[in-house]
Amino acid sequence: MPEFQVILADLGWPLAIALAWLLGEFIHRWTQLPRISVYGIVGFLLSQAFPEALASGASSTVTTLANFAFGLILFEFGYRINLRWLGINPWILVTGLVESAATFGVVYLIATLSGMPSLTSLLLASLAMSTSPAGVLRVINEQNSSGQVTERLLHLVAINCVLAVFVFKVVVGFWVFETSGSLTQAVSHSLIELLISAAMGAILGFLVPAVLRRLGALAQDGTIAFALGVVLLVAGSSAFEVSPVLATLTFGLAARHSRVAFSRTERNFGGIGELLTVLLFVFAVSTLEWSRVVEGAGLGMVLLLARFLVKTASVTVFAKVGGISWRKGMLTGVALAPMSVFVTLLLEQTRYMGIVLVDELAALAAMTLVLEVLGPIFTQRALIWAAETTKKEI
């Protein structure tokens, strides 16, 4: 008979996903808390109790599936973005730029004053700029939310993501080229990488709808074709060492502007998409270690509070000129809380370059754990208080 540890190692991830899904359903029905918050709690507790059973490396099957799951969510997220709206109301773009820059500046200042090295502070600040599209979109879909706050939230998250990826790539690029000390080389390398990522997504975004129209099977086969497109983009991004985040986001944007109807039955890419989502949110916290969380708890909580206040205040300041009330502006800022999944996968992708940054950012471990659980709750409450959901306040 096989040993218990061998069996546990083989069944670790399937059992963790099954338990997270089951508890997510029960707790959501009892408390109305977001399912993904429950997935995060279960994933962290199981990873601490059975670290070997939930081990995952940069090239493991679980990491690959998590990247595919994130790619599917990013595609759907990109599909929800209307670039024409940014042209009609440029204050949304201004709000996103100012809010991201302010978050970067404040987090960098606090991290530097705490004694953290300058380069590590830059990495932490670039990641703090981001808002997780996975967390936000899952809550929006779960709540069936729509309205001014929801639409502004989606567009601000997209701006956050693009800026965070660019700045993060520049800082990592400077880290790689530190021997030459060339900031210009780091910026140009990162910019070329992002342009290639966007081009890959844009090409596929126009090619897939064109093929579906040619086949006359847009309605029947759209979900499978777009899912396969995401799989190709994630795999191709890994092979060419470019950004899968920007590639899949651009894929969704291009598909939307090719006037492809993405029906309600395709939300979350059906049952397989739901399953991969559970894996994604369990995976996001399985990479954390309790010792790192404790080590960075003090600074992490300070940075979390600063990030929350800066994002909320920045969006509120531009609310009136952007066409909404102060209250809805504040609620939009509050809803920008999620960060964890985006940060986790961005850090995992740097492992392909041989750079392990998690050990350098103990404060980030604490921030990731807290926002994995509380971030979706903040988003949910903000959407409910804005009266944009079908769920009644509890």
Side-chain angles (χ1 to χ4, degrees):
M1 291 289 290
E3 295 182 4
F4 176 74
Q5 289 185 343
V6 176
I7 295 174
L8 189 61
D10 291 337
L11 295 178
W13 276 103
L15 289 174
I17 294 169
L19 183 59
W21 174 81
L22 190 62
L23 290 176
E25 291 299 317
F26 277 118
I27 294 176
H28 173 72
R29 294 182 185 186
W30 291 337
T31 66
Q32 294 301 305
L33 290 176
R35 292 177 176 86
I36 55 178
S37 293
V38 181
Y39 301 158
I41 296 173
V42 174
F44 182 73
L45 293 177
L46 290 177
S47 66
Q48 303 310 302
F50 308 102
E52 294 182 0
L54 296 185
S56 58
S59 59
S60 71
T61 302
V62 173
T63 304
T64 301
L65 289 174
N67 278 300
F68 287 155
F70 193 47
L72 292 175
I73 292 175
L74 282 169
F75 169 84
E76 185 179 351
F77 188 90
Y79 187 85
R80 297 285 297 269
I81 303 302
N82 186 352
L83 293 178
R84 296 185 184 90
W85 194 34
L86 296 179
I88 295 172
N89 189 351
W91 284 108
I92 297 172
L93 180 59
V94 172
T95 302
L97 294 173
V98 171
E99 171 261 308
S100 298
T103 302
F104 178 89
V106 170
V107 171
Y108 175 75
L109 179 63
I110 295 174
T112 304
L113 291 176
S114 72
M116 190 175 287
S118 180
L119 203 55
T120 307
S121 299
L122 288 171
L123 284 169
L124 191 57
S126 66
L127 293 171
M129 292 167 64
S130 68
T131 300
S132 175
V136 168
L137 187 61
R138 290 299 303 186
V139 172
I140 288 175
N141 285 348
E142 188 173 87
Q143 298 294 128
N144 197 22
S145 176
S146 63
Q148 289 182 318
V149 172
T150 302
E151 292 305 314
R152 277 168 171 75
L153 174 61
L154 288 168
H155 288 73
L156 289 175
V157 171
I159 295 168
N160 280 178
C161 286
V162 173
L163 291 176
V165 169
F166 175 69
V167 176
F168 179 78
K169 292 289 185 181
V170 169
V171 177
V172 171
F174 187 68
W175 188 308
V176 173
F177 298 120
E178 194 173 15
T179 51
S180 65
S182 175
L183 180 61
T184 304
Q185 188 177 6
V187 172
S188 60
H189 181 272
S190 301
L191 186 59
I192 291 171
E193 182 180 327
L194 295 184
L195 288 174
I196 293 173
S197 304
M200 289 171 61
I203 291 170
L204 211 56
F206 289 108
L207 183 61
V208 172
V211 170
L212 288 174
R213 287 195 185 94
R214 182 69 176 174
L215 294 174
L218 189 58
Q220 296 87 350
D221 302 329
T223 303
I224 296 175
F226 290 128
L228 287 173
V230 169
V231 170
L232 288 173
L233 273 181
V234 172
S237 298
S238 175
F240 292 105
E241 296 184 350
V242 296
S243 173
V245 172
L246 192 57
T248 48
L249 189 64
T250 308
F251 182 25
L253 277 167
R256 176 194 176 100
H257 291 83
S258 294
R259 299 189 182 279
V260 175
F262 196 61
S263 69
R264 293 182 62 84
T265 57
E266 294 171 314
R267 285 284 176 92
N268 305 322
F269 285 88
I272 295 298
E274 294 285 353
L275 176 61
L276 288 175
T277 296
V278 181
L279 180 146
L280 174 63
F281 283 91
V282 172
F283 171 82
V285 288
S286 70
T287 58
L288 303 177
E289 296 180 7
W290 177 247
S291 59
R292 291 289 177 190
V293 173
V294 173
E295 179 185 346
L299 178 59
M301 294 308 101
V302 173
L303 293 175
L304 271 184
L305 180 61
R307 174 184 179 273
F308 179 80
L309 292 176
V310 169
K311 284 185 175 290
T312 303
S314 299
V315 178
T316 304
V317 164
F318 289 96
K320 282 289 187 180
V321 293
I324 57 175
S325 65
W326 298 114
R327 180 176 180 274
K328 287 196 171 184
M330 181 189 68
L331 291 173
T332 304
V334 170
L336 289 169
M339 183 182 80
S340 304
V341 170
F342 183 89
V343 166
T344 299
L345 292 183
L346 206 59
L347 288 175
E348 283 295 315
Q349 288 155 15
T350 62
R351 293 178 186 268
Y352 293 110
M353 303 170 62
I355 303 173
V356 181
L357 301 174
V358 178
D359 295 338
E360 304 286 336
L361 302 171
L364 188 64
M367 296 172 69
T368 300
L369 178 60
V370 172
L371 288 183
E372 173 79 2
V373 178
L374 295 184
I377 297 175
F378 278 114
T379 302
Q380 181 198 55
R381 304 317 298 175
L383 295 175
I384 290 174
W385 290 335
E388 295 190 2
T389 72
T390 58
K391 306 288 182 68
K392 293 184 178 180
E393 185 174 348
I394 58 173

